[in-house]
Amino acid sequence: MTTTSEIAKAFVAAQKEFAPALKTGTNPHFRSKYVDLAGAVESVIQALHNNGIALIQKTHEVETSGVKVETIFMHESGEQISGGILYMPTNKPDCHGTMAALTYARRGSLMAACGLAPEDDDGNEASGVPRKSLSQTVQELSSSKKLTA
């Protein structure tokens, strides 16, 4: 049986030190900001190292068009934990499509395994839909009920 008591303690300590995942990348198509791969790594790598944990991102063989990435944390004790394997399809079956999918998979796998969320993970921001406050939503619902009553 594999034990993970040392890496579990170290990972909890590291997670307490994780920096925010800042949106430093820009998507010109949606005119939005996002956390790029470098930003995701930067937000966790020092905390992991401070607690004796190495970050490994391993690729796995794929039978279809896409990539599979596994984020593994290895502790100085020799214990390791895996964040699981993430499959990411490719849009184009060429080196550019493969590398784009690999970058997306590495970022997504790392963020999921570390429990990271972008500084503001509201999907409406990316689509240009303004976020409504609770009072705005209640007011709109009240107005619509008056109109239909």
Side-chain angles (χ1 to χ4, degrees):
M1 181 176 164
T2 305
T3 63
T4 57
S5 59
E6 292 300 314
I7 193 169
K9 283 188 268 183
F11 192 81
V12 168
Q15 206 171 38
K16 290 177 184 178
E17 298 177 29
F18 288 168
L22 301 176
K23 292 181 178 181
T24 57
T26 303
N27 181 334
H29 182 71
F30 289 109
R31 293 187 201 107
S32 63
K33 303 282 272 174
Y34 66 94
V35 178
D36 62 12
L37 176 58
V41 172
E42 286 174 15
S43 70
V44 300
I45 199 70
Q46 190 61 51
L48 291 171
H49 289 170
N50 289 347
N51 291 281
I53 302 171
L55 168 65
I56 300 164
Q57 289 195 295
K58 178 179 169 182
T59 58
H60 291 267
E61 203 169 315
V62 180
E63 293 183 22
T64 60
S65 182
V67 297
K68 286 184 181 178
V69 171
E70 179 180 15
T71 296
I72 300 168
F73 303 101
M74 184 174 290
H75 189 251
E76 58 194 16
S77 67
E79 295 175 358
Q80 63 182 17
I81 52 176
S82 169
I85 298 171
L86 175 67
Y87 169 76
M88 185 70 58
T90 55
N91 287 340
K92 295 185 253 175
D94 60 15
C95 62
H96 296 287
T98 300
M99 290 307 294
L102 181 60
T103 301
Y104 276 106
R106 288 185 60 206
R107 182 179 65 212
S109 177
L110 177 62
M111 292 180 73
C114 290
L116 292 178
E119 59 188 320
D120 175 12
D121 199 23
D122 184 12
N124 287 332
E125 183 180 317
S127 63
V129 177
R131 192 172 184 180
K132 296 178 185 175
S133 69
L134 180 58
S135 61
Q136 286 174 313
T137 304
V138 169
Q139 189 175 21
E140 286 177 8
L141 287 172
S142 296
S143 296
S144 68
K145 286 183 180 180
K146 287 178 188 173
L147 294 174
T148 58

